[in-house]
Amino acid sequence: MSGDVWFTILPDGEPGVAAAQLLRPWATETINHHSGRPWLVGSWPEGQVTVGAAGARRVAVIGRCPVTADELSARAGRLRDAENAERIAHGLSGSFHFLASVDGSVRARGSASGVRRLFHTRVAGATVAADRADRLAAVTGASPDERILAAHLLTSPLPYPLDDHCVWQGVRAVPSFDCLLIDADGRARTRRWWTPPEPQRAWQDGVPAVRAALTAAVDARSAGEDTVSADLTGGLDSTSLCFLATREKEQPRLGGVRLVTLRWQSLDPDNDDAIWAMRATAHLPDIEHVTPTPSQWPLWYSDLTALTGDAVPTDEPGPWVRDGARMSVLCRLMTGRGSRLHLMGGGGDELFSSSPPHLHDYVRRHPLAAWSRIRTQRAAQHWPLGQLLRQLADGRTFGQWLTAWAQGLTTPQPPPALVRGAPSTAWGVDLRMPPWASRDATEAVRDLLKEAADTAEPLAPQRGQHTALACVRTGGRGLRLLDQVMSRQGLGLAAPYLDDQVIEAALAIRVAERSTPGRYKPVLAEAVRGIVPDDVLRRNTKGEYSADFHVGLRRNRAGLVELFDGSWLAGAGLIDDAAVRASLLGVHPTPEGLRSLSSSLGSEIWLRARSAPICPPSTAIAEGAP
């Protein structure tokens, strides 16, 4: 794990000094509190950490944020105590952790989306926090938690409200909307730092804020970089980022940036991404555009046997392994052209589309307008009226929905012929356990959901806003894992749409107004109008990649079957590996099996990679050890 980027946060007291001694064998960098005791211990590249100081007060930004040490020091001068540090973070753009150390107290938080997360555990009598859970597991000798591994079979990253569980025993995740406060004696507590905006703004009024936030988010990535690379798939999300990155900058210090774009060709001849990508590239004549040939671009599920040990650098399981070979090629192509950071359009769908649950809210708040929209969408998508009315009449609370989901974990999905019905307007997608999950695994997930039903609250009172926030969190956690994989290979990954400021601007717009029948992502289109050419903004379709999935599955089936022969998940009692192989070898794999495959595969490969201790037993020290 020597190539990982990581940091730990220590209390400003003697317990923190003892914990630091255990972390230093892996660390290359240390930053101290004003007292001289260690505050940050870890390994990070130059420019990753910016620290400001004013007297005994310290403030740190870790990640992508174009703030200077002098500017942070000026902000630190306005800081009176650690608990209220968020006041001085106002106006900072980018994606980062924000930390403060004041008079023996430490405050730390990540980002609302979960792109930047924090975990904590007890080490040598003190609470120690880190941005990577496996670093804390290494120093305490923790093992994976099989209950949470079972949940990763359901889907990965975990859905809300399971997404704040940590896969390592004894290591706790700080909830994404909370900050962590650590006293000098090593005691810790959490407190809410971020509250989702109320979706009350008309879309026309919200567009300027979205434009400003998105522009600042892209500028935060280009600051200090000579070359940046980006996806240019032809979709509106990635295309907008490319034009934002190459526009003329208003702030001189942001300067110009050389952009290299990448587009890969779908195997589906009806996928029109290529047409729209070429239309965009015609407006970017000075940009280097890279389109790998089919022989250069691996299929999904390629080279899975190479993903062992250090080749699996994530601190929790994830479905990224399906794309592992592609990500290696992407890193090689882009770093070879001078890029250290790659932009992708993740988060655009979550912020600028209205998912079906918004209809449940809309019909109650504005029934006439809602029924007009429903008639239009029913006519276009042939929704059965009776089924739709039953969905809209569903009055379950969030807790009741979670309980029903728990009870239905093994209920068979409707046959494919019935899937094209009315969309669900529930609080979320009640996913099923894969058909190869063991009874113990299913019961473990059922218990987790029932526990959550007793305590968890929705992320917002309205189903549409709740669903958007839940999807943003899923996207943020997925991006975090992808970044861990690609950063190991020298290319960081960023999704500006998942920055806190962009999320706040977009989700302040009324849910029903984020999409309009007949217009594709109208809020985003208006926000980038004048930057993205009008003929590019006219797109109202979205590429579909099921053909690529099926071809990759068919050609790599033997490797997949081999991975599940002697499965480590089966050895842990979580799956029946014979059932996995039977599903893969079937003439027509079931939809349930295909949906679950990437999550199960990610968990299998991750568990194999974590089979050896991450640190020598002699250096591991759990809470309470001498």
Side-chain angles (χ1 to χ4, degrees):
M1 298 183 66
S2 60
D4 290 328
V5 175
W6 60 278
F7 66 86
T8 52
I9 306 166
L10 302 165
D12 190 7
E14 290 307 314
V17 175
Q21 294 301 318
L22 298 171
L23 291 160
R24 283 208 168 97
W26 297 280
T28 60
E29 307 288 341
T30 299
I31 295 174
N32 291 333
H33 295 280
H34 173 72
S35 64
R37 300 185 185 97
W39 178 26
L40 304 177
V41 173
S43 293
W44 55 79
E46 183 179 356
Q48 182 80 3
V49 180
T50 304
V51 177
R57 291 155 287 182
R58 298 286 186 273
V59 177
V61 167
I62 306 177
R64 292 278 175 179
C65 176
V67 67
T68 67
D70 287 343
E71 290 168 344
L72 269 187
S73 296
R75 291 172 182 261
R78 304 196 301 269
L79 186 60
R80 294 294 172 261
D81 56 72
E83 291 197 24
N84 295 303
E86 198 60 35
R87 295 177 182 175
I88 67 167
H90 180 73
L92 295 178
S93 61
S95 175
F96 51 87
H97 290 86
F98 185 69
L99 287 65
S101 170
V102 183
D103 296 330
S105 296
V106 172
R107 179 189 184 275
R109 56 91 165 166
S111 62
S113 66
V115 173
R116 308 285 175 173
R117 299 186 70 188
L118 284 174
F119 304 86
H120 63 99
T121 193
R122 300 284 291 183
V123 178
T127 296
V128 175
D131 66 325
R132 291 186 60 112
D134 57 352
R135 185 52 53 201
L136 297 177
V139 78
T140 61
S143 300
D145 187 326
E146 291 184 1
R147 284 209 319 164
I148 309 306
L149 268 179
H152 278 276
L153 299 177
L154 184 68
T155 187
S156 191
L158 296 177
Y160 181 80
L162 304 182
D163 57 353
D164 281 329
H165 285 283
C166 180
V167 75
W168 294 99
Q169 295 181 25
V171 179
R172 301 181 65 181
V174 178
S176 291
F177 300 170
D178 287 4
C179 64
L180 184 69
L181 298 164
I182 310 176
D183 296 332
D185 61 5
R187 293 178 299 176
R189 64 193 187 280
T190 59
R191 194 179 76 175
R192 178 65 66 96
W193 77 269
W194 190 82
T195 301
E198 290 293 329
Q200 298 177 341
R201 186 175 291 174
W203 76 269
Q204 298 95 329
D205 297 333
V207 161
V210 171
R211 184 185 180 100
L214 190 54
T215 299
V218 174
D219 287 349
R221 278 30 182 236
S222 58
E225 299 290 344
D226 296 323
T227 300
V228 170
S229 56
D231 290 339
L232 181 53
T233 63
L236 182 58
D237 302 332
S238 65
T239 300
S240 298
L241 297 181
C242 292
F243 281 95
L244 283 164
T246 56
R247 80 190 196 289
E248 185 175 348
K249 305 297 190 297
E250 297 176 0
Q251 298 182 47
R253 83 174 187 196
L254 297 176
V257 63
R258 174 175 173 262
L259 182 69
V260 180
T261 69
L262 180 127
R263 175 181 66 82
W264 58 277
Q265 180 64 49
S266 171
L267 299 175
D268 185 350
D270 294 327
N271 188 319
D272 63 348
D273 273 356
I275 296 172
W276 290 95
M278 288 187 288
R279 182 173 294 186
T281 58
H283 293 279
L284 297 168
D286 299 325
I287 306 305
E288 181 178 3
H289 304 287
V290 179
T291 304
T293 65
S295 62
Q296 293 175 310
W297 196 244
L299 296 171
W300 280 332
Y301 301 113
S302 295
D303 300 329
L304 294 173
T305 55
L307 296 175
T308 58
D310 263 11
V312 185
T314 58
D315 61 349
E316 64 180 0
W320 65 268
V321 296
R322 181 194 71 178
D323 303 283
R326 289 186 169 189
M327 293 165 70
S328 294
V329 173
L330 166 63
C331 291
R332 186 170 65 252
L333 290 172
M334 297 299 103
T335 57
R337 289 165 170 81
S339 177
R340 298 186 305 169
L341 183 70
H342 191 79
L343 307 183
M344 53 95 74
D349 289 341
E350 293 86 337
L351 296 181
F352 301 112
S353 301
S354 297
S355 59
H358 90 277
L359 295 173
H360 189 275
D361 313 312
Y362 200 29
V363 78
R364 286 162 173 76
R365 291 170 175 258
H366 305 284
L368 294 179
W371 283 113
S372 175
R373 172 171 294 193
I374 288 170
R375 280 196 302 270
T376 301
Q377 293 188 256
R378 273 197 67 223
Q381 302 181 45
H382 309 290
W383 293 341
L385 180 60
Q387 190 182 23
L388 177 62
L389 291 175
R390 287 192 295 274
Q391 291 280 0
L392 294 174
D394 173 26
R396 290 176 297 177
T397 65
F398 183 62
Q400 290 169 337
W401 172 73
L402 285 174
T403 299
W405 180 12
Q407 294 169 344
L409 277 175
T410 56
T411 303
Q413 295 277 16
L418 300 180
V419 169
R420 294 180 182 176
S424 171
T425 62
W427 288 98
V429 180
D430 46 350
L431 300 167
R432 306 295 198 270
M433 290 294 284
W436 48 75
S438 69
R439 179 176 297 180
D440 287 346
T442 299
E443 288 305 314
V445 178
R446 183 172 283 123
D447 288 344
L448 287 170
L449 288 172
K450 287 181 177 178
E451 291 168 9
D454 292 335
T455 59
E457 297 290 336
L459 297 170
Q462 299 179 33
R463 292 188 183 186
Q465 184 80 331
H466 163 84
T467 302
L469 286 161
C471 290
V472 162
R473 289 164 63 112
T474 299
R477 283 154 172 74
L479 172 69
R480 175 178 176 272
L481 297 181
L482 295 175
D483 182 46
Q484 288 179 358
V485 175
M486 291 177 55
S487 292
R488 169 70 71 85
Q489 301 176 64
L491 186 68
L493 185 65
Y497 293 108
L498 292 174
D499 285 7
D500 294 339
Q501 296 80 5
V502 180
I503 293 170
E504 289 172 355
L507 296 190
I509 295 171
R510 296 167 188 155
V511 181
E513 295 183 22
R514 295 173 200 164
S515 65
T516 303
R519 290 194 66 190
Y520 186 64
K521 298 183 179 177
V523 173
L524 177 58
E526 292 304 315
V528 297
R529 191 172 298 281
I531 298 173
V532 179
D534 287 347
D535 65 323
V536 177
L537 293 177
R538 292 194 186 101
R539 185 175 187 182
N540 58 7
T541 61
K542 185 174 178 64
E544 203 270 334
Y545 290 88
S546 59
D548 300 82
F549 170 83
H550 286 285
V551 171
L553 179 65
R554 185 172 65 250
R555 295 189 184 174
N556 292 298
R557 193 185 311 234
L560 287 164
V561 171
E562 181 182 352
L563 271 170
F564 285 101
D565 187 2
S567 161
W568 285 67
L569 288 173
L574 298 176
I575 68 168
D576 177 353
D577 53 358
V580 183
R581 297 195 301 274
S583 178
L584 289 168
L585 292 170
V587 177
H588 299 292
T590 64
E592 294 88 347
L594 294 180
R595 178 194 62 76
S596 307
L597 177 60
S598 291
S599 294
S600 296
L601 179 65
S603 296
E604 174 68 29
I605 289 177
W606 184 86
L607 186 59
R608 288 181 180 223
R610 294 294 176 266
S611 60
I614 300 175
C615 65
S618 61
T619 63
I621 179 168
E623 170 65 12

